[in-house]
């Protein structure tokens, strides 16, 4: 599956006329978006492509905003945990046609609850930018290839840790309001990791 995605991503050109191709790897943490992003990055580098990986976990809002309605509010998680404005400003904006290509890998450390102070990176043209994390669709992010790692409701519940079960209603809402499987270019069914299936 990684090789299939690498072939797709290696042929990408930015659809907005920019110099950088942008790929979404969307899914719950239990689906392993970060692991797939790293595997795909390695496969693309082996093909000679420059790759930059961005995890949305580095673009969470400060705790004072995330936890305004408590630490386990699924609606807050869905609507307000991820700083989509910062992703636009620090990642997608600089990658538009005529942009500088100067992006931030992350902005906020959710454990220390402070800015990461990571240095900006100037991406060479033709870099593939892999953005991974949950709830990526529905924000008009300009992805050139979108991949959704799908877990059935039962598999998602089984593979989500007990301390994270409170967030499951947010993923049900995401399915209902955004239809990630219908939105994505490629859907990978992750219920059985040893027998993956995908379309697209």
């Amino acid at each position: 599956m990684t090789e299939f995605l690498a072939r797709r991503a290696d042929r990408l050109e930015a659809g907005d006329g920019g110099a950088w191709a942008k790929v979404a790897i969307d899914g719950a943490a239990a689906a392993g978006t970060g692991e797939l992003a790293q595997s795909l990055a390695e496969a693309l580098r082996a093909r000679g492509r420059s790759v930059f990986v961005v995890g949305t976990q580095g673009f969470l809002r400060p705790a004072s905003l995330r936890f305004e309605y408590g630490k386990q509010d699924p609606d807050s998680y869905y609507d307000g945990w991820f700083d989509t404005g910062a992703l636009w400003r620090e990642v997608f904006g600089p990658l538009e046609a005529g942009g500088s290509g100067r992006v931030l890998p992350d902005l906020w450390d959710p454990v220390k609850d402070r800015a990461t102070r990571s240095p900006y990176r100037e991406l060479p043209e033709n870099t593939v930018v892999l953005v991974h994390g949950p709830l990526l669709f529905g924000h008009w992010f300009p992805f050139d290839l979108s991949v959704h790692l799908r877990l059935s409701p039962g598999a998602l519940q089984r593979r989500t840790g007990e301390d994270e079960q409170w967030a499951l209603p947010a993923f049900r809402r995401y399915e209902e309001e955004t239809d990630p499987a219908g939105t994505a270019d490629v859907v990978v069914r992750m219920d059985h990791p040893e027998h993956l299936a995908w379309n697209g």
Side-chain angles (χ1 to χ4, degrees), residues 83-126:
D83 194 341
T84 56
L87 277 166
W88 271 106
R89 184 178 68 251
E90 305 294 356
V91 178
F92 293 107
L95 301 179
E96 292 177 347
S100 66
R102 187 172 179 264
V103 302
L104 267 181
D106 50 49
L107 184 65
W108 197 259
D109 183 331
V111 177
K112 297 178 180 178
D113 197 35
R114 66 185 186 195
T116 58
R117 304 189 187 281
S118 295
Y120 282 89
R121 296 275 303 277
E122 301 233 4
L123 303 186
E125 292 188 2
N126 208 32

Side-chain angles (χ1 to χ4, degrees), residues 51 70 89 119 137:
V51 183
R89 184 178 68 251
F137 303 149

Side-chain angles (χ1 to χ4, degrees), residues 22-45:
K22 298 164 287 291
V23 177
I25 302 178
D26 170 75
T33 59
E35 291 87 342
L36 178 58
Q38 293 301 330
S39 296
L40 182 53
E42 291 172 13
L44 284 166
R45 289 181 184 122

